[in-house]
Structures are given as C-alpha cells and as structure tokens.
C-alpha cells in the first residue's frame, strides 16, 4: 500500500521542493537523495519523474525562463522589443544568479528554444536575415548575462574580506567610484549596452534596404 506522500507525488511537487532546496543550498546542494529526504520518499520515487539530476535542473530552468516572461508585447517595434527582452533577461538573472553558471552545462530547455525562435522571427519580420537575427539574440543574451554576473559579484564585494592588502585597496577604490556615480549596474546601464547593439543593428538594416 503506497504511503500518502507517494500517492501525492507528482512532477510539480518534485520541482517545487527541488527549487526550494536549490535556492537555499545552490545547485551543489540539490541531489536526488536530499530531494527524496525532503519529500519523505525513496530516491527511486524521484527517478520515476526525472531520469537524473540534469533532467531535474533542465525542468527547473524551463520554469525559470517561463516565469521570467522575457518576451515583449508584439505591438512594440523591433528595437524596443529587443531592449525590453534584454532588460527582462537581466532582471531575471540578477535576481537568481545561480542560473548563470549552469546555463552552459544544461541542454537548452523548451522555453529557451521558444524565446530564441520568437526573437529570431521578430527580427526576420523586421527585415534582418536569419544569421543577423541569431547574432542579435546571442548578443542580447551575452549582454544581460555579463551584466547580471558582474552585478552579483559587485554585491558581494567586501574589502574587509580580501586576503591581501592590495586587494583591499583595489576593492575600496572601486566601491568609492561606484558610490560617487550613478548605480552603474541598474537598468540605465543595461539600456546603454542594448542601445549600442540596437544602433549597430539599425545600420545593418539600413544597409540591406
């Protein structure tokens, strides 16, 4: 006779608990064994829903991309559409930087493919070639990911924790510069990078017309 916990176990419940563990302990702390213990089931019960940890992480990444809602309204012009998508990508990654280090180690999930295809379709409809549209999409991903990674690193910057005196001086100098200027990694900084990309794309579009 199955226990009540096993009767209620489904993919949604597994993913909810896995996400909670990952946010508390990171990807390294999420294991099939720790997940099974938290759900009070055997590891085999987890394997009935996900064949391994990578499959579990891919499903979590799929949910992360879907919940980020990076796709803009179709009513926007292609340039504002691209900027909106880049802002949303940055905001999602800055809020959950744990995903940045995992993106290259997991297969692109369904929602990631949807976002990529929608972006390429939008740019092709505006007059870009498939190759230009793909390069533009990759550039937006790189801009948003790099900015989110730097944002996360700067948030953790603490001169007092530096092991070498020279590192303390460099960290203090950098923090003083950030404090004396606008918040460099806020949305306006992302807008500046995206605006540069869009300006280059406009030149390409005009050259093709």
């Amino acid at each position: 006779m199955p226990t009540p916990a096993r009767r209620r176990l489904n993919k949604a419940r597994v993913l909810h608990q896995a996400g909670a563990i990952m946010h508390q302990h990171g990807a390294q702390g999420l294991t099939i064994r720790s997940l099974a213990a938290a759900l009070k089931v055997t590891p085999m019960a987890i394997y009935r829903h996900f064949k391994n940890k990578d499959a579990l992480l891919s499903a979590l990444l799929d949910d992360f991309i879907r919940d980020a809602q990076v796709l803009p309204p179709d009513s926007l012009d292609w340039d504002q559409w691209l900027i909106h998508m880049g802002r949303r990508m940055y905001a999602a990654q800055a809020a959950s930087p744990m995903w940045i280090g995992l993106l290259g180690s997991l297969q692109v999930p369904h929602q990631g493919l949807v976002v990529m295809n929608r972006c390429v379709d939008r740019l092709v409809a505006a007059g870009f070639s498939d190759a230009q549209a793909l390069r533009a999409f990759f550039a937006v991903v790189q801009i948003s990911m790099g900015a989110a990674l730097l944002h996360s690193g700067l948030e953790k910057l603490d001169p007092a924790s530096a092991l070498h005196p020279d590192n303390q001086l460099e960290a203090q100098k950098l923090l003083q510069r950030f404090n004396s200027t606008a918040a460099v990694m806020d949305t306006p900084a992302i807008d500046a990078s995206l605006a540069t990309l869009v300006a280059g794309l406009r030149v390409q579009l005009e050259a093709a017309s």
Side-chain angles (χ1 to χ4, degrees), residues 190-203:
I190 291 299
D191 283 351
S193 299
L194 293 171
T196 300
L197 171 64
V198 165
L201 290 171
R202 287 198 189 104
V203 172

Side-chain angles (χ1 to χ4, degrees), residues 99-196:
W99 284 113
I100 298 174
L102 291 171
L103 289 174
S105 63
L106 297 172
Q107 186 178 34
V108 179
H110 172 73
Q111 290 297 324
L113 296 174
V114 169
V115 170
M116 185 183 299
N117 280 318
R118 283 285 303 279
C119 180
V120 171
D121 287 345
R122 185 69 181 82
L123 293 178
V124 168
F128 293 95
S129 68
D130 282 349
Q132 289 172 327
L134 280 168
R135 284 195 292 267
F137 174 79
F138 293 145
V140 172
V141 171
Q142 290 161 3
I143 288 170
S144 62
M145 186 181 298
L149 188 62
L150 185 56
H151 175 90
S152 177
L154 290 172
E155 281 192 330
K156 299 172 184 174
L157 188 61
D158 179 12
S161 67
L163 298 179
H164 193 280
D166 289 346
N167 290 345
Q168 293 179 1
L169 292 174
E170 292 296 335
Q172 289 170 349
K173 183 178 179 181
L174 183 61
L175 286 175
Q176 287 172 356
R177 285 178 164 168
F178 271 82
N179 291 334
S180 65
T181 59
V184 176
M185 294 317 301
D186 282 346
T187 299
I190 291 299
D191 283 351
S193 299
L194 293 171
T196 300

